[in-house]
Amino acid sequence: MSDYIKLSDLPNDISHWPNFHIFSNTKKLEKTCCYLNKTYWILYATELNKKSLIYYQKTLNIKLTIINFWKIDKYKIVCVKGLITKNDINLLYKLGWDIAPLIKMPSLQKPGLLLMDMDSTAIQIECIDEIARLANRGDIVKNITISAMKGEIDFTNSLSQRVSMLKGVHESILKQVLDKLPLMPGLIQLVEKLQVLNWKIAIVSSGFKYYASYLGKKLNLVDVVANDLEIYQGKLTGKLIGRIVDAKYKLYSLKKIAQKLNISLEQTIAVGDGANDLLMIRSAGLGIAYRSNYHVNKQVIFKIVHADLMGIFCILSSTILTDS
């Protein structure tokens, strides 16, 4: 059989594609152009199909080899080999796909630990912004939150400043936010799949324990670490109880929880969306920025731009193939 297989001969549904090589018009790329010198990648999306893959190859005029493909729930995943540059990746994001380099990462075939941020990661909102909004103090608090998540201002000081603005808010507003707490899509599926594989999941958040504890019970998490709001006579005092959970404390918690569970750091994953998540993201066996901002994304190797939280499982699923 020829090494060159015409794309037009392949079925449209990628789930029916056999293993094959894809070659576009030859164009030599220097190794120095390769993004972090990585040559094996996984592409994953719900709408990954032949037409879009052809467009991607033709537009960039690059040579790819499809190594394997598989499905995880609604996601189609393709493992490819090729030199993919930063510009190539940017186009891929415009197509609505996600990408991850195939480098050493935690294995699904061994017990592991997933450590997640809560606000805008495990859940769809920033709880402090919602509390402030319901208390008619929303705009100024939200603007400070945005700056803090980008790392533009000191996180600890910004949190203390925002919490102080909640002084006098009745604790019933906390319950209003909890009653409508929107979980991030894919959260429950991800947790359930990992727990079946003997993985442990914990939340380490600079948000509030009031909400993290709820998630801990709902999802059967092994631990929750978050900031504790002080309440006196049914109202917020504008202060926190105990140490503030900042970037350093998140890193400390990652190491402490992993040690307590006798799980090596190589078998840990840290996921978050803010600048205060970067320390734990860089220190875990696999660190992922989830639907984050430009300032955070440019500092990490792994990022999920489009997928829901099941994107984490899509990335990890590659270890079943590489391990075997």
Side-chain angles (χ1 to χ4, degrees), residues 193-312:
K193 287 181 183 294
L194 288 178
Q195 288 174 337
V196 167
L197 295 170
N198 294 317
W199 275 62
K200 307 299 182 183
I201 298 92
I203 281 179
V204 176
S205 172
S206 296
F208 302 135
K209 188 177 292 185
Y210 184 92
Y211 304 103
S213 295
Y214 163 79
L215 291 178
K217 294 177 181 178
K218 179 179 180 65
L219 301 173
N220 193 28
L221 307 183
V222 295
D223 207 345
V224 294
V225 178
N227 292 305
D228 204 359
L229 286 166
E230 184 179 68
I231 300 174
Y232 179 71
Q233 293 185 343
K235 294 184 178 181
L236 303 186
T237 65
K239 298 178 181 179
L240 296 171
I241 301 172
R243 178 171 178 173
I244 290 179
V245 180
D246 57 8
K248 291 181 179 179
Y249 200 78
K250 286 189 173 190
L251 175 58
Y252 167 78
S253 298
L254 168 67
K255 296 177 178 178
K256 181 180 179 181
I257 296 171
Q259 183 179 39
K260 181 176 68 175
L261 297 173
N262 197 28
I263 295 174
S264 67
L265 278 181
E266 289 75 16
Q267 274 295 112
T268 63
I269 304 170
V271 182
D273 70 299
N276 66 328
D277 296 311
L278 284 171
L279 281 181
M280 69 173 186
I281 285 175
R282 292 169 180 156
S283 301
L286 172 62
I288 302 174
Y290 180 75
R291 295 185 181 178
S292 190
N293 57 69
Y294 170 78
H295 305 279
V296 173
N297 282 339
K298 70 180 181 180
Q299 300 182 65
V300 301
I301 296 174
F302 290 86
K303 48 185 151 305
I304 295 174
V305 176
H306 298 291
D308 63 26
L309 286 174
M310 276 298 293
I312 298 170

Side-chain angles (χ1 to χ4, degrees), residues 64-323:
L64 295 176
T65 300
I66 288 189
I67 306 300
N68 212 334
F69 62 86
W70 60 99
K71 276 187 169 183
I72 301 291
D73 294 346
K74 63 182 179 180
Y75 289 98
K76 298 173 182 178
I77 308 164
V78 181
C79 175
V80 300
K81 179 182 179 182
L83 298 179
I84 299 179
T85 69
K86 289 184 178 180
N87 287 336
D88 301 339
I89 291 174
N90 289 334
L91 174 61
L92 188 144
Y93 287 140
K94 290 180 181 179
L95 293 174
W97 301 353
D98 281 293
I99 184 171
L102 270 184
I103 57 178
K104 186 177 180 180
M105 66 179 75
S107 172
L108 282 181
Q109 302 195 63
K110 302 175 184 178
L113 169 66
L114 169 63
L115 210 68
M116 302 182 69
D117 178 39
M118 180 175 66
D119 296 60
S120 297
T121 301
I123 60 177
Q124 298 182 52
I125 61 171
E126 294 287 328
C127 290
I128 193 168
D129 292 350
E130 285 300 300
I131 295 169
R133 182 182 66 81
L134 292 174
N136 296 317
R137 307 173 191 185
D139 289 343
I140 188 169
V141 170
K142 185 174 182 178
N143 289 335
I144 297 173
T145 298
I146 292 172
S147 294
M149 297 305 289
K150 292 180 179 179
E152 296 174 345
I153 57 178
D154 178 74
F155 180 82
T156 300
N157 290 335
S158 73
L159 179 61
S160 297
Q161 182 181 0
R162 285 175 289 160
V163 171
S164 70
M165 295 177 184
L166 302 181
K167 183 177 180 179
V169 172
H170 199 278
E171 64 178 329
S172 63
I173 289 184
L174 301 183
K175 182 65 163 53
Q176 289 181 47
V177 175
L178 181 64
D179 289 342
K180 297 182 179 180
L181 196 68
L183 303 185
M184 190 64 72
L187 174 64
I188 293 177
Q189 297 94 314
L190 173 66
V191 169
E192 289 178 346
K193 287 181 183 294
L194 288 178
Q195 288 174 337
V196 167
L197 295 170
N198 294 317
W199 275 62
K200 307 299 182 183
I201 298 92
I203 281 179
V204 176
S205 172
S206 296
F208 302 135
K209 188 177 292 185
Y210 184 92
Y211 304 103
S213 295
Y214 163 79
L215 291 178
K217 294 177 181 178
K218 179 179 180 65
L219 301 173
N220 193 28
L221 307 183
V222 295
D223 207 345
V224 294
V225 178
N227 292 305
D228 204 359
L229 286 166
E230 184 179 68
I231 300 174
Y232 179 71
Q233 293 185 343
K235 294 184 178 181
L236 303 186
T237 65
K239 298 178 181 179
L240 296 171
I241 301 172
R243 178 171 178 173
I244 290 179
V245 180
D246 57 8
K248 291 181 179 179
Y249 200 78
K250 286 189 173 190
L251 175 58
Y252 167 78
S253 298
L254 168 67
K255 296 177 178 178
K256 181 180 179 181
I257 296 171
Q259 183 179 39
K260 181 176 68 175
L261 297 173
N262 197 28
I263 295 174
S264 67
L265 278 181
E266 289 75 16
Q267 274 295 112
T268 63
I269 304 170
V271 182
D273 70 299
N276 66 328
D277 296 311
L278 284 171
L279 281 181
M280 69 173 186
I281 285 175
R282 292 169 180 156
S283 301
L286 172 62
I288 302 174
Y290 180 75
R291 295 185 181 178
S292 190
N293 57 69
Y294 170 78
H295 305 279
V296 173
N297 282 339
K298 70 180 181 180
Q299 300 182 65
V300 301
I301 296 174
F302 290 86
K303 48 185 151 305
I304 295 174
V305 176
H306 298 291
D308 63 26
L309 286 174
M310 276 298 293
I312 298 170
F313 201 85
C314 290
I315 296 172
L316 286 175
S317 67
S318 66
T319 64
I320 296 176
L321 300 176
T322 55
D323 287 353

Side-chain angles (χ1 to χ4, degrees), residues 7 9-18 20 46-51 69-71 74-78:
L7 287 171
D9 294 336
L10 299 173
N12 288 320
D13 187 348
I14 197 169
S15 65
H16 297 153
W17 291 7
F20 66 96
T46 57
E47 299 299 327
L48 187 59
N49 54 47
K50 186 176 74 170
K51 182 178 180 181
F69 62 86
W70 60 99
K71 276 187 169 183
K74 63 182 179 180
Y75 289 98
K76 298 173 182 178
I77 308 164
V78 181

Side-chain angles (χ1 to χ4, degrees), residues 34-48:
C34 180
Y35 179 53
L36 297 178
N37 289 329
K38 296 175 178 64
T39 56
Y40 287 87
W41 309 80
I42 62 167
L43 316 178
Y44 58 100
T46 57
E47 299 299 327
L48 187 59

